[in-house]
Amino acid sequence: MQIAARTVVNFHYTLSNDSGEVLDSSQGGDPLTYLHGAGNIVAGLETALEGRGVGDSFKVRVAPEEGYGVHQAQLVQDVPRSAFAGVEKVQAGMQFQADTPEGVQNVTVARVTGDSVTVDGNHPLAGQHLNFAIEVTAVRLASVEELSHGHVHGPGGHAH
Ligand code: ZN
């Protein structure tokens, strides 16, 4: 069976940046499972998986526009240290949820300069090319229920 809309796909992946540093991998654990055509994985990877089958191995380099987005300068802001009341020591790399007019946003502390904290609301991998090494391990038809929910049920998926 080929990967197409309305199929459920299991695959192993290793994700590296352009320096060859491994950022994430499913090797040694369970494969990732997703419903194809539902936008559940980054667009560039979903496109590259289209038409593949069980046992296929390939590499794909995904541009930021098809990955976690380009880095948006307006999502980087300086906020006063006092905005982190209750946090003992604010340090670069810490992640917080911020209430914004557009809703809750995940932000990462980029740096702390005196009483000023620079926070970045971009995805940590925004602006980066994503180098995936992929191995497709299973493809099956999605159930009617999975299609109506827009995600996979069972092992590796939603359990509800
Ligand atoms: Zn569901």
Side-chain angles (χ1 to χ4, degrees):
M1 182 181 294
Q2 286 190 320
I3 297 173
R6 312 202 296 182
T7 58
V8 170
V9 182
N10 288 15
F11 68 93
H12 276 295
Y13 70 95
T14 297
L15 169 61
S16 310
N17 61 20
D18 276 352
S19 308
E21 185 187 350
V22 173
L23 304 174
D24 196 10
S25 178
S26 65
Q27 295 291 347
D30 291 328
L32 195 72
T33 182
Y34 80 100
L35 173 62
H36 191 79
N40 289 341
I41 60 173
V42 296
L45 182 56
E46 188 162 48
T47 302
L49 280 156
E50 180 92 22
R52 306 278 183 170
V54 174
D56 282 359
S57 294
F58 63 95
K59 291 181 176 178
V60 59
R61 183 168 183 261
V62 175
E65 294 82 356
E66 298 273 284
Y68 290 106
V70 296
H71 193 269
Q72 300 181 66
Q74 71 268 26
L75 295 180
V76 180
Q77 291 181 318
D78 290 329
V79 296
R81 173 72 179 78
S82 58
F84 296 87
V87 182
E88 204 166 302
K89 192 171 190 331
V90 180
Q91 288 177 301
M94 291 174 100
Q95 296 190 313
F96 294 93
Q97 292 198 319
D99 288 315
T100 74
E102 288 81 39
V104 175
Q105 190 181 32
N106 290 310
V107 301
T108 305
V109 174
R111 60 185 167 273
V112 181
T113 313
D115 277 340
S116 178
V117 179
T118 304
V119 296
D120 188 344
N122 288 284
H123 188 282
L125 294 176
Q128 291 200 41
H129 280 82
L130 310 173
N131 298 281
F132 288 102
I134 300 295
E135 182 192 352
V136 179
T137 57
V139 183
R140 65 167 170 85
L141 284 175
S143 69
V144 172
E145 192 184 47
E146 287 172 325
L147 291 172
S148 71
H149 287 201
H151 56 230
V152 175
H153 292 163
H158 285 243
H160 60 203

